Amino acid sequence: MKDWRAVFDIGKQIDSPDKKRDFNQRHFAEAASRYDIATRALSFGRDQAWKKYLVSALPETAAPVCVDLASGTGDVAFLLAERFPGGQITGIDLTEEMVTLAEQRNRYRNVSFTCQDMGETDFEGHSVDIVTGSYALRNAPDLAAGLREINRILKAGGTAAFLDFSKTASPGMQRFQYWLLKFWCGLWGTLLHANPTIHAYIADSLKQFPTRDNYYRLVRESGFELVSSQLFYFGMLELLVIRKKG
């Protein structure tokens, strides 16, 4: 079992885009085998409900081209296939192990998965109607680059929706959230992988993430307008829907 002291070194391993990309590849490769169990445990069983809220918040479109970022084992991609049976859904993930698991679970003809970095994809510009992500942008090696890439591939007026942990502007609440996530996520990393750094990473990734207001400002500066925001768990999580300016 890895020492709990390693949990406090995570921040140093993700303090640059290259280091964060490398860390995430290693981290999610190890987490992949029990990732579905972890997301349900960490959320007290609410993860699937939140993802359904995400998909239900999308605009009605007959046959959209959809890209699901950091698709993991494919939960949101499969919900998109059910919501848009005439659509084309591609789930992308940085980690081959996640892509393999998603492909094994896939029962939909209009869903495919590929290993890509969300900050530099191979989709054509202005070719996508909908972009989604659950726990995605917080994991982007470079958040600004990720938002620029989403803007590049979305059609004018296209929609993006993201479910993720949310960072309040209150320093006291930030400290509370950090230590709560360090303990709770590290505990499940220990139980599932005998490695507390698995999932405790969430606390450090959120620490480096912008506060809610700064996040909104960056979104607007990247060429989007805010459509809606819904908070869960006393504001610790947020479902944010945005639209590319026409």
Side-chain angles (χ1 to χ4, degrees), residues 35-36 38-54 75-76 79 134-135 163 233 237:
Y35 185 75
D36 291 336
T39 55
R40 286 148 182 76
L42 291 170
S43 66
F44 297 97
R46 296 295 297 161
D47 176 68
Q48 286 298 299
W50 294 334
K51 289 173 179 175
K52 289 178 181 178
Y53 279 128
L54 185 159
D75 284 350
V76 172
L79 290 172
S134 56
Y135 320 117
L163 171 70
Y233 266 20
L237 287 98

Side-chain angles (χ1 to χ4, degrees), residues 94-110:
L94 187 64
T95 309
E96 291 182 2
E97 287 80 358
M98 288 290 194
V99 171
T100 297
L101 287 172
E103 289 174 335
Q104 292 171 352
R105 295 179 67 202
N106 188 15
R107 300 293 182 270
Y108 298 90
R109 292 184 177 180
N110 61 335

Side-chain angles (χ1 to χ4, degrees), residues 108-171:
Y108 298 90
R109 292 184 177 180
N110 61 335
V111 177
S112 62
F113 296 94
T114 180
C115 193
Q116 294 190 45
D117 184 338
M118 72 178 79
E120 189 176 357
T121 73
D122 63 8
F123 299 101
E124 294 184 5
H126 316 292
S127 64
V128 176
D129 298 290
I130 292 172
V131 172
T132 55
S134 56
Y135 320 117
L137 290 185
R138 177 179 43 81
N139 291 322
D142 184 323
L143 176 58
L147 287 168
R148 287 194 299 270
E149 180 65 2
I150 294 165
N151 185 282
R152 184 188 72 81
I153 67 175
L154 270 177
K155 298 176 183 177
T159 299
F162 302 106
L163 171 70
D164 214 325
F165 290 92
S166 183
K167 185 175 177 180
T168 176
S170 165

Side-chain angles (χ1 to χ4, degrees), residues 185-246:
C185 300
L187 173 64
W188 281 102
T190 300
L191 292 173
L192 295 175
H193 300 278
N195 180 358
T197 63
I198 301 297
H199 306 308
Y201 151 81
I202 292 171
D204 292 277
S205 64
L206 184 59
K207 188 175 184 179
Q208 295 181 357
F209 201 68
T211 61
R212 199 172 297 141
D213 287 344
N214 288 336
Y215 177 34
Y216 294 168
R217 184 173 65 250
L218 182 58
V219 165
R220 291 190 182 98
E221 290 173 351
S222 300
F224 299 95
E225 56 187 6
L226 304 183
V227 175
S228 66
S229 167
Q230 185 173 2
L231 298 176
F232 304 98
Y233 266 20
F234 310 101
M236 292 181 63
L237 287 98
E238 180 180 27
L239 169 58
L240 182 68
V241 181
I242 63 179
R243 182 185 298 115
K244 179 178 175 178
K245 295 177 182 177

Side-chain angles (χ1 to χ4, degrees), residues 27-92:
H27 167 81
F28 287 106
E30 185 170 352
S33 62
R34 297 183 177 179
Y35 185 75
D36 291 336
I37 298 173
T39 55
R40 286 148 182 76
L42 291 170
S43 66
F44 297 97
R46 296 295 297 161
D47 176 68
Q48 286 298 299
W50 294 334
K51 289 173 179 175
K52 289 178 181 178
Y53 279 128
L54 185 159
V55 174
S56 68
L58 297 169
E60 191 59 50
T61 310
V65 175
C66 306
V67 174
D68 184 45
L69 308 178
S71 200
T73 61
D75 284 350
V76 172
F78 302 144
L79 290 172
L80 288 168
E82 293 174 3
R83 171 80 192 275
F84 305 112
Q88 176 187 335
I89 296 96
T90 303
I92 71 170

